[in-house]
């Protein structure tokens, strides 16, 4: 199971980064979101995997590691705030710059075509 | 028809009761503490959200409402088994159709309840309520309303319309007295 | 006996989720995909409830409740998007 | 109150921001300005009181929530952190004062955001918990993202997009690094980590190494160390200068984190992991200096130039970090204070120059002269002399100290030529810049009327309060350098530091 | 202590003159003169002791960390230079009063001059090498200010920049050299260094240090090939040229050589470097001077040549050569300064310095001409004038030099040639300016200059003559004192007299004079030859080099920082890969020793969905809507994973955040293009894929490595203390609001700032609302579908109830302020979706900014509340109370803290969404409250 | 023991219905028809499973637990609305219904 878990994290990282390397804001935002899922899972796994040992006192005899859970919670919230900001920034970018490119220059291919809206 | 609760501090008595019950259910407890807390919440939340309510008819006949609830629940079980069989059967046997049911209800809440009942029961899904406000001309009043329904397997359109009107719309009219 | 039943139901729900997933992938239209996703949300609730039963813990009830609430809202949001583009206007 | 002093540099800006967002400050710009300035000054005063307290009484450890380390989050106010906190608060005061002259009108929430940024920076300096560092990094980053957009033009949007996204990736890396370290060490407190790293066995060492290196990557990104410096010039030069001036402290947060974590956790006593990235850091630092210098030469406006000066200073600082000895650290601290203050002043100055030069703004081309050549020219000369390390201003002490501390490192033959040639490049660039900005006219003999307004008194006060630090750093060089030496000694005394933070540690 | 006053006085003088801008020029000059005169008096007061061989010292510690002390010394060499600096300085100030026109700010000029004087005094009086360097750099700065005095002239700006660059470079080299020497000696103290000749010269770094120090000296003293800045520095006002570029600053380099003579000289490399550089400079300067049409140009190159001469003398391996060098320093200062001043008068009176126009000045300016001719004769080395004496000594020493081994005879020969050239250009200066027919096209008709403008020249010329005739009487005292300081030992025997009998040096002088006259008379052939050589303009070359450097930098920087975010990310990722990947290869075995759990069907299904969902998101990324749906599966599966692995709080949070994110992305999608056009090349896709998957593999490997290892963490503490110390049974929540409440405070701050930032970003945004969807379909007309609108009204109270439930139970069971806050927000979002912004704004008059602020404020004040009980920030309080009817109830401050969290989350989320909603709303009746 | 039988029965019933609902999603020919599966069969299935859970927990050491009703209630309230929103967007997208579908003319332009 550990291997499966690690593979999931790996796949999420891969997909997230692949999207991140696209030249437009929306895929980049999707990539960031996916990357943050991966990171949260990773950080969570720092406390190792435990089944049915939720850290609510009195529900079990021994418990999962609660600290990474708290950390991931904080990370999720912060990640949400950041994603929200970057999404809004992407909108602002579209409004200000007329396109959603983040790769320095607009490739010729789409410069000729009219921007789809 | 009554559009507002009798007491200003209790705009939706039945709904407050509902919230109170939900609170006890959520906490899985009927301790005095939770009863107290539930009462406070059941009273305060409707007050907070009061401004978010359009004026809708209130339930005037609760007993009838309860009875109707059980009817609908029964229908749901029966209808679902029917639909399950239809799904398991051959696709070619199905006779899908859109039908338009004229409705006499005038307010959004009863219409919503009607539409929900239709969706949950025999092989029908409410698709839309006509006319759409934005399609009306400036200043035009909403006249006759229709419910657009998709039927999975339509046998007799008239019969279905009658069924819906009698089994679901009539009791609603009575419950809300409108 | 319950264990066997749970295994069967787990498999049924698992199978359902995969069917949903298949529809989600196949589409062909966006509403189809949304429908699949919405169904999947509900099936996941079932999964969590089953899980709670098999583990004998009530700690995941709220997760199920929230999926029910939020799944609905996100379906509504997506539909609103398809209809109007701007979901908060 | 005095026993809660260590937490105040974090709480005061937070309180300030809250006050600024609530009535009566929320609606009235006037009230907002007053409150913001007062709170900034209070923060500065408190920071200095804390500095004095730590100087007199030694490291002050503040257990938030009364949970002692390593279980709770503790704040560690030592000579190093309080120095940086005071520097930040000083910068905050200057920026607030400067902005009151008009920059704060151009967008929403300027004052609360400034205080939030200070809160994040001070928090990152003071906390002794690595995850808490992450949280404060995010606080300062999100505040900086918003402040970056204060300019409200196209360029700042483009710059912000890049800056934000890159930093989001950086934050992910930070979390992965943290996860790794927690996963092998089982703790988050920096001092506790320092205790546990030497006890690592077998392959755990390498896992911890990966975690440590990833953190280093993040810090390097924040600090803008080559090759992770690419975002900086564009970001800083597209921010409003008053914001860029505040940003001058932000790269130092990365430098500080690097210094702290690298010295304490992976320093002398880290066994096999001791100084694990030293050669890399050293090389990259030198390369950063070179690239920064090239950037300075290439710059076509003063803001870009100043931004690249920031890169040069980062390279210098990291080079000193990688030496890992007390003298280098002391030199680093002196140089850090000096370079932060001066670059901040230069950013502000670039704004004033832009305001008075009309269309050509701060571009380094011939154009209209400034309205107040004597005032701005003098300020510019002071800043320039400081920045290129010419006497009699603070830069030269930093420069000599840096040279002195690298002399016996065995690396001097690489560092000295680079460092000295960079100084020369800066001299060429700055003299070129000064000549263009103040002397060169587009039309010969044109005595066109300069209708630009005179600098606002608050502008001048802010700039002078920053620039005055440069001569003060020279005049009071002896006590200041003593302080830096003590701070460096304290930092390098790892077991002493652990003892102070963790009861029963070591 | 009085030593300190000397530079301090001139510094004070600088400040005083800068404050005299509003006074008359006479008053300014008078005020300015006070300081140097007092300083001169103090110097004179100390002179007897110094002449008697004493060295005076004064030291205050300053910055021990860098070896910098405020340390002054006064020995013979210093004394000599101080007299020159203060004496000539005084004369220059007097002269400048008449030279500078009324339009120019004389106060500024004086201020700079006095600053420069301070710097020079500092150099010659330093007893600490860092301090010496400090003042050294100050001369560069003040000379930059002085050269650029007429900054509106391009010549002045460029000359100043060039001088600064060259001398600045030299300064850096000098610093390096001095620090190496100090490091060898172990002291920054000059006394110690000068006494450590053997130690220094035996060190491996001696050559390096020597070269660096010499670079400093040579650039400052305009030695070949670093001479080129000096002629361009002549753009400065003539008093400045007279002071800096003949008498003092250029001599700083010479001073440096003389100062370090006891410690650095005496080795072969010293003689070769110093001697040959001096010789080359001597010849080159003399040759070029001949061809300059500009009077100041001629003087500039002549200065270069004479500086070369002095350098050469310091590079000759005899003690007497050093004495000759000192002597020539004095002589050159006197005649060259007076020549510059005379040139200034000519320039001032005629408006030109071009010798092709200047002819027959004798008739217009007879008095000035006489002075100039005497000075020029001194420069040429005519007997009875001071230049003759030192030149004679020079010739003598060249004869005894063995620096070039068997080729040492070359030195006297070349020295004679240089002498001849020097005679030639001196002859030209006299003949071409004062005689040689009538002036051509002069801008002004010349008259004699004002009386006091000539006084300084008179003083200097008189000195030339006095020294020339009574050398022993006039200069021997100071010369021997200075020489003693240079040699660091007793002086060899020498005689200062006009007549040494017929000897080889006299013959050389004669040859030089005759040769010089001959060269001058045949100058037109030489000019023709010179004109046929390719022109070499040092300034243009220098500027081209700088320009190329700048251009090269610009090209490189724009190639590196090309604005591509993806490139920056790739760089970051590659670094991450190296840092995280490298240690993996060092590991023996990836998997650890912990027992592994088997894969069960649920995990397999969940993982499968997660993986396929992630891949599907990538595959469909160009169709953004579909991609977003796929992403929400991933999010759903992540929260399922959290339920599976015992983290109910995380599951709840992940779920709520995920929905909020999807809604946000949907909002974004409306304003962004619906599709991503295909624009990546296959190569780029390949690159992206390989980077992404490599990072993925590395992260997965580390994750696996961690998961397979046992962990000992601090968490036991939290489980043990959650109930007793934190008052809650949900340990995760207790960590969040208590053990690590500070993190949470930071986290809600982040959320609050994000909301404020988002509002900021969206304000004044140019609105862009598409009227059609991605496939060109018009939007549906039904804005607020009836059924949704009415059902959502009922759902809101229900959702609020649920969030109250989640909020209240958080401390003991999964839930808490954050999740509750998000549930509330999402319920409100549903209202926004069902009814629109207008409808909400009509009914909901709440200011989100205030909610956020109160949220953070409540959390903050809860934390500060513990101060009242003398506990640290955020110390929680809880207790159990027996309340009638209700029973035992827990009250905890953590719940108030959590309320802060709740409010912040609600305020922030709603602010974000409401600002977005408002942005597109064209029919917003009233502006949303912020 | 009886309760275990009841739980099992409800679970199987629920599982089956959920499965049928999802099957309908795959099997039926057009969107409008596919919609019937999830809105009805799945809802009932869910209700059934939740009842099973209720019974199960009522017999475990946790004591009577009826809060699962809430999820059912919630699903009953929301399922028709989701269906309504979905069909509205399908109509808006003019998704093709199978040829056999009658009454297509009753759909108004929105
Ligand atoms: Na002539
Ligand atoms: Na506590």
């Amino acid at each position: 199971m550990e291997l499966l878990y690690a593979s999931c994290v790996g796949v999420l990282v891969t997909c997230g980064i692949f999207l991140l390397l696209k030249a437009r804001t929306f895929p980049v935002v999707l990539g960031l979101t996916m990357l943050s899922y991966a990171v949260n899972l990773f950080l969570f796994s720092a406390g190792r995997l435990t089944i049915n040992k939720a850290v609510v006192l009195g529900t079990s005899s021994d418990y999962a590691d609660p600290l990474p859970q708290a950390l991931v919670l904080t990370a999720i919230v912060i990640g949400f705030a950041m994603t929200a900001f970057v999404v809004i920034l992407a909108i602002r970018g579209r409004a200000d710059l007329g396109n959603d490119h983040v790769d320095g220059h607009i490739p010729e291919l789409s410069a000729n075509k009219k921007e789809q809206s | 028809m009554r559009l507002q609760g009798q007491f200003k501090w209790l705009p939706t008595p039945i709904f407050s009761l509902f919230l109170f019950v939900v609170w006890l259910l959520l906490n899985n407890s009927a301790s005095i503490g939770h009863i107290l807390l539930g009462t406070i919440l059941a009273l305060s939340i409707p007050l907070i959200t009061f401004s978010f309510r359009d004026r809708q008819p209130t339930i005037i006949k609760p007993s009838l409402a309860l009875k109707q609830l059980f009817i609908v629940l029964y229908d749901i079980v029966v209808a679902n088994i029917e639909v399950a069989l239809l799904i398991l059967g051959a696709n070619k046997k199905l006779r899908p159709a859109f039908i338009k049911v004229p409705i006499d209800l005038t307010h959004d809440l009863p219409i919503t309840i009607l539409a929900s009942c239709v969706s949950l029961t025999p092989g029908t899904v409410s698709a839309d309520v006509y006319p759409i406000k934005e399609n009306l001309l400036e200043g035009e009043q909403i006249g006759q309303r229709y419910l657009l329904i998709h039927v999975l397997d339509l046998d007799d359109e008239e019969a279905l319309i009658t069924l819906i009107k009698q089994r679901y719309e009539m009791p609603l009219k009575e419950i809300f007295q409108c | 006996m319950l264990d066997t039943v749970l295994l069967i139901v787990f498999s049924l729900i698992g199978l359902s989720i995969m069917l949903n997933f298949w529809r989600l992938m196949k589409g062909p239209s966006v509403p189809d995909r949304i429908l699949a996703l919405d169904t999947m949300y509900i099936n996941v609730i079932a999964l969590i409830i089953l899980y709670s039963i098999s583990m004998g813990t009530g700690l995941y009830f709220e997760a199920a409740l929230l999926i029910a609430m939020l799944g609905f809202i996100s379906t509504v949001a997506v539909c609103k998007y398809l209809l109007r583009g701007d979901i908060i206007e | 109150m005095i026993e809660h002093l260590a937490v105040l540099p974090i709480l005061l800006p937070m309180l300030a921001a809250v006050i600024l967002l609530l009535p009566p400050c929320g609606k009235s710009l006037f009230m907002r300005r007053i409150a913001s300035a007062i709170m900034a000054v209070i923060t500065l005063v408190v920071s200095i009181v804390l500095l004095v307290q730590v100087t007199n009484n030694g490291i002050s450890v503040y257990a938030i929530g009364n949970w002692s380390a390593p279980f709770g989050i503790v704040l560690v106010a030592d000579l190093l952190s309080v120095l940086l906190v005071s520097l930040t608060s000083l910068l905050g005061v200057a920026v607030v004062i400067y902005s009151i002259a008009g920059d704060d009108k151009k967008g929403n929430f300027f004052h609360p955001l400034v205080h939030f940024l200070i809160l994040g920076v001070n928090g990152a300096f003071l906390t002794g918990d690595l995850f808490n560092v992450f949280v404060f990094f995010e606080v300062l980053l999100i505040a900086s993202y918003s402040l970056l957009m204060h300019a409200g033009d196209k360029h700042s949007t483009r710059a912000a997009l890049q800056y934000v996204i890159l930093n989001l990736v950086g934050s992910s890396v930070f979390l992965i690094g943290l996860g790794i370290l927690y996963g092998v060490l089982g703790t988050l407190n920096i001092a506790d980590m320092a205790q546990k790293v030497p006890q690592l066995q077998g392959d755990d060492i390498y896992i911890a190494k990966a975690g440590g290196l990833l953190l280093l990557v993040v810090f390097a990104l924040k600090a803008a160390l080559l090759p992770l410096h690419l975002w900086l010039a564009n970001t800083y030069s597209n921010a409003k200068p008053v914001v860029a001036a505040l940003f001058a402290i932000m790269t130092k947060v990365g430098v500080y984190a690097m210094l702290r974590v690298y010295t304490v956790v992976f320093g002398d006593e880290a066994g096999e992991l001791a100084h694990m990235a030293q050669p890399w850091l050293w090389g990259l630092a030198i390369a950063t200096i070179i690239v920064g210098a090239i950037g300075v030469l290439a710059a076509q406006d003063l803001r870009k130039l100043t931004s690249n000066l920031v890169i040069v200073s980062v390279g210098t600082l990291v080079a000193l970090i990688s030496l890992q000895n007390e003298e280098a650290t002391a030199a680093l601290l002196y140089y850090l204070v000096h370079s932060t203050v001066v670059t901040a002043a230069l950013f502000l100055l670039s704004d004033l120059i832009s305001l008075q030069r009309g269309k050509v703004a701060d571009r380094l081309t011939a154009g209209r002269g400034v309205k107040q050549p004597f005032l701005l020219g003098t300020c510019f000369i002071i800043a320039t002399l400081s920045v290129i390390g010419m006497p009699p201003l603070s830069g030269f002490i930093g420069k000599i100290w840096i040279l002195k501390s690298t002399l016996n490192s065995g690396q001097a033959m690489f560092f000295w030529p680079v460092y000295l040639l960079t100084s020369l490049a800066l001299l060429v660039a700055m003299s070129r810049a000064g000549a263009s900005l103040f002397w060169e006219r587009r039309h010969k003999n044109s005595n066109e009327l300069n209708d630009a307004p005179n600098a606002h008194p608050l502008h001048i006060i802010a700039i002078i309060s920053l620039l005055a630090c440069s001569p003060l750093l020279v005049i009071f060089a002896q006590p200041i350098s003593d302080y830096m030496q003590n701070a460096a000694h304290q930092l390098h005394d790892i077991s002493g530091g652990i003892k102070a933070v963790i009861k029963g540690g070591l | 202590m009085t030593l300190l006053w000397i530079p301090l006085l001139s510094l004070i003088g600088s400040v005083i003159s800068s404050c005299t801008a509003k006074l008359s020029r006479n008053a300014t000059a008078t005020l300015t003169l006070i300081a140097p005169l007092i300083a001169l008096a103090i110097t004179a007061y100390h002179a007897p002791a110094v002449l008697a061989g004493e060295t005076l010292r004064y030291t205050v510690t300053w910055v021990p960390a860098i070896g910098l002390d405020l340390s002054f010394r006064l020995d013979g060499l210093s004394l000599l230079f101080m007299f020159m600096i203060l004496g000539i300085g005084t004369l220059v100030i007097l002269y400048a009063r008449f030279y500078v026109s009324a339009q120019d700010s004389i106060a500024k000029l004086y201020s700079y001059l006095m600053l420069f004087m301070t710097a020079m005094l500092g150099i010659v009086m330093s007893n600490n090498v860092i301090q010496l360097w400090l003042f050294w750099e100050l001369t560069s700065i003040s000379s930059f200010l002085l050269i650029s005095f007429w900054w509106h002239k391009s010549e002045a700006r460029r000359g100043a920049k060039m001088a600064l660059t060259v001398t600045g470079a030299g300064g850096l080299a000098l610093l390096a050299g001095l620090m190496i020497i100090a490091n060898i000696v172990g002291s920054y103290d000059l006394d110690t260094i000068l006494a450590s000749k053997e130690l220094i010269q035996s060190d491996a770094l001696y050559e390096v240090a020597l070269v660096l120090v010499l670079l400093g000296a040579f650039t400052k003293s305009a030695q070949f090939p670093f001479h080129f800045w000096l002629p361009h520095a002549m753009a400065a006002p003539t008093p400045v040229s007279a002071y800096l570029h003949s008498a003092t600053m250029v001599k700083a380099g010479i001073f440096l050589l003389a100062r370090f003579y006891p410690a650095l000289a005496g080795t072969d490399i010293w003689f070769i470097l110093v001697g040959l550089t001096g010789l080359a400079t001597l010849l080159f300067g003399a040759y070029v001077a001949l061809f300059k049409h500009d009077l100041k140009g001629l003087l500039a190159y002549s200065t270069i040549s004479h500086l070369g001469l002095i350098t050469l003398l310091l590079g000759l391996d005899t003690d007497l050569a050093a004495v000759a060098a000192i002597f020539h320093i004095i002589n050159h200062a006197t005649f060259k300064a007076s020549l510059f001043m005379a040139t200034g008068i000519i320039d001032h009176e005629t408006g030109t310095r071009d010798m092709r126009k200047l002819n027959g000045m004798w008739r217009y300016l007879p008095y000035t001409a006489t002075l100039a001719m005497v000075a020029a004769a001194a420069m040429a080395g005519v007997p009875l004038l001071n230049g003759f004496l030192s030149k004679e000594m020079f010739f003598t020493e060249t004869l005894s030099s063995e620096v070039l081994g068997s080729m040492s005879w070359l030195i006297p020969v070349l020295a004679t040639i240089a002498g001849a050239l020097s005679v030639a250009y001196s002859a030209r200066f006299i003949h071409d300016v004062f005689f040689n027919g009538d002036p051509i096209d002069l801008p002004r008709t010349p008259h004699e200059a004002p009386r006091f403008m000539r006084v300084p020249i008179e003083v200097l010329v008189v000195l030339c003559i006095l020294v020339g005739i009574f050398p022993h009487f006039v200069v021997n005292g100071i010369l021997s004192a200075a020489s003693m300081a240079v040699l660091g030992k007793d002086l060899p025997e020498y005689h200062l007299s006009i007549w040494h009998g017929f000897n080889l040096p006299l013959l050389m002088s004669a040859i030089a004079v005759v040769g010089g006259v001959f060269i001058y008379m045949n100058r037109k052939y030489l000019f023709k030859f010179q004109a046929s050589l390719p022109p070499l303009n040092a300034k243009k070359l220098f500027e081209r080099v700088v320009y190329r450097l700048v251009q090269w930098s610009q090209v490189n920087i724009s190639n590196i920082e090309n604005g591509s975010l993806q490139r920056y990310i790739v760089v970051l990722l590659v670094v991450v890969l190296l840092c995280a990947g490298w240690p993996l290869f060092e590991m023996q075995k990836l998997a650890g020793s912990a027992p592994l759990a088997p894969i069960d069907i649920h995990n397999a299904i969940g993982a499968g969905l997660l993986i396929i969902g992630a891949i599907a998101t990538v595959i469909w990324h160009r169709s953004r809507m579909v991609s977003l749906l796929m992403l929400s599966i991933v999010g759903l599966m992540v929260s399922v994973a959290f339920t599976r692995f015992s983290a109910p709080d995380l599951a709840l949070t992940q779920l709520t955040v995920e929905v909020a994110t999807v809604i946000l992305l949907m909002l974004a999608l409306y304003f962004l293009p619906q599709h991503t056009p295909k624009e990546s090349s296959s190569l780029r896709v390949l690159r992206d894929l390989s980077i992404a998957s490599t990072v993925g593999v590395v992260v997965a490997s580390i994750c696996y490595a961690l998961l397979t290892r046992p962990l000992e963490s601090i968490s036991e503490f939290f489980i043990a203390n959650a109930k007793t110390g934190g008052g809650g049974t949900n340990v995760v929540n207790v960590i969040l609001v208590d053990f690590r409440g500070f993190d949470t405070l930071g986290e809600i701050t982040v959320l609050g700032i994000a909301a404020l930032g988002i509002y900021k970003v969206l304000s004044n945004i140019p609105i862009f609302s598409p009227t059609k969807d991605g496939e060109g379909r018009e939007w549906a007309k039904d804005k607020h579908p009836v059924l949704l609108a009415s059902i959502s009204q009922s759902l809101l109270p229900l959702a609020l109830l649920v969030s109250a439930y989640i909020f209240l139970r958080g401390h003991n069971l999964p839930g808490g302020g954050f999740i509750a806050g998000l549930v509330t927000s999402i319920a409100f979002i549903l209202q926004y979706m069902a009814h629109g912004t207008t409808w909400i704004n009509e009914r909901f008059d709440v200011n989100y900014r205030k909610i956020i602020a109160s949220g953070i404020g409540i959390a903050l004040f809860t934390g500060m509340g513990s101060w009242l009980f003398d506990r640290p920030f955020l110390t929680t309080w809880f207790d159990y109370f027996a309340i009638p009817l209700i029973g035992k109830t827990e009250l905890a401050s953590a719940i108030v803290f959590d309320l802060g969290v709740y409010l912040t989350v609600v305020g922030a989320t709603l602010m974000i969404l409401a600002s977005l909603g408002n942005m597109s709303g064209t029919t917003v009746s009233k502006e949303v409250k912020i | 023991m009886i309760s275990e039988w009841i739980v099992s029965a409800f679970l199987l019933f629920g599982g089956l219905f959920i499965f049928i609902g999802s099957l309908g999603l795959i099997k039926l020919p057009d969107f409008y028809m596919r919609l019937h599966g999830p809105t009805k069969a799945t809802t009932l299935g869910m209700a059934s499973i939740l009842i099973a859970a209720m019974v199960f927990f009522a017999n475990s050491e946790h004591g009577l637990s009826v809060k699962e009703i809430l999820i059912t209630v919630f699903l009953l309230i929301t399922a028709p609305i989701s269906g309504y929103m979905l069909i509205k967007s399908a109509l808006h997208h003019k998704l093709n219904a199978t040829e056999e579908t009658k009454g297509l003319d009753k759909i108004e332009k929105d």
Side-chain angles (χ1 to χ4, degrees), chain C residues 6-7 10-11 13-15 17-18 20-37 40-42 44 47-48 51 54-55 58-89, chain E residues 601-602 605 609 612-613 616 620 625-626 629-630 632-633 636-637 640 643-644 646-648 651-652 655-656 658-659 662-663 666-667 669-671 674 773 779-785 788 791 795 799 802 805-806 809 813-814 819 823 826-827 829-830 832-833 836-838 913 917 920:
Chain C
L6 276 172
L7 192 66
F10 258 131
S11 314
I13 306 259
L15 212 55
I17 291 182
M18 298 221 281
N20 300 155
F21 199 72
W22 191 75
R23 177 54 74 194
L24 182 66
M25 289 290 157
K26 186 156 183 278
S29 70
V30 182
D32 270 307
R33 296 183 206 266
I34 301 169
L35 175 61
L37 190 61
M40 199 190 250
Y41 271 112
I42 296 170
V44 167
L47 205 63
I48 289 177
Y51 180 67
S54 71
M55 290 298 169
L59 288 175
Y60 301 104
F61 164 77
E62 285 70 26
L65 181 67
L66 282 192
I67 295 181
M69 278 177 69
L70 302 175
F72 165 69
I73 293 177
S74 73
T75 302
V76 166
V78 181
C79 291
K80 183 85 196 284
Y81 172 76
L82 291 187
L83 287 166
R84 294 282 308 159
D86 192 4
I87 62 176
I88 295 178
E89 51 190 335
Chain E
I601 174 117
H602 323 122
I605 293 176
L609 289 178
I612 301 173
W620 269 297
M625 181 70 210
V626 179
L629 292 181
M630 299 302 165
S632 45
I633 306 230
L636 184 65
M637 286 305 140
V640 169
T643 29
R644 179 72 185 152
S646 313
L652 295 178
L655 262 173
T656 43
E658 137 83 11
V659 172
V662 168
I663 291 174
M666 213 92 68
L667 276 166
L669 211 47
Y670 173 62
F671 297 103
Q674 310 290 307
D773 71 8
W779 299 120
K781 287 199 184 112
D782 194 359
K783 275 190 182 168
H784 306 298
L788 178 64
I791 209 81
L795 283 180
V802 170
Y805 164 71
I806 288 174
R809 73 201 295 268
L813 288 164
I819 303 164
V823 170
I826 292 173
I829 292 167
L830 181 63
Y832 273 105
M833 287 195 290
T837 331
T838 320
L913 293 154
S920 61

Side-chain angles (χ1 to χ4, degrees), chain A residues 13-94:
Chain A
V13 168
T14 306
C15 294
I17 288 179
F18 184 79
L19 288 174
L20 205 56
L21 293 175
K22 294 283 146 206
R24 305 274 191 144
T25 48
F26 194 78
V28 166
V29 171
L30 290 188
L32 281 173
T33 311
M34 207 183 289
L35 189 62
S36 76
Y37 290 158
V39 167
N40 291 340
L41 285 176
F42 185 93
L43 188 56
F44 179 68
S45 73
R48 311 301 189 259
L49 302 180
T50 36
I51 291 181
N52 202 24
K53 287 174 187 168
V55 249
V56 175
L57 298 179
T59 59
S60 176
S61 54
D62 60 340
Y63 299 98
D65 191 340
L67 189 52
Q69 296 192 12
L71 303 186
V72 173
L73 243 156
T74 306
I76 291 177
V77 178
I78 289 177
F80 170 65
M82 295 294 170
T83 310
F85 192 88
V86 84
V87 166
I88 304 302
L89 204 54
I91 296 174
R92 175 88 205 196
R94 172 87 196 279

Side-chain angles (χ1 to χ4, degrees), chain E residues 316-339:
Chain E
L316 293 178
D317 47 358
T318 62
D319 289 345
L320 263 180
V323 180
I326 301 296
F327 192 26
H328 198 67
I329 289 172
I330 304 170
N331 297 336
H332 178 253
T334 46
F335 65 66
K336 193 53 67 64
S338 54
L339 280 173

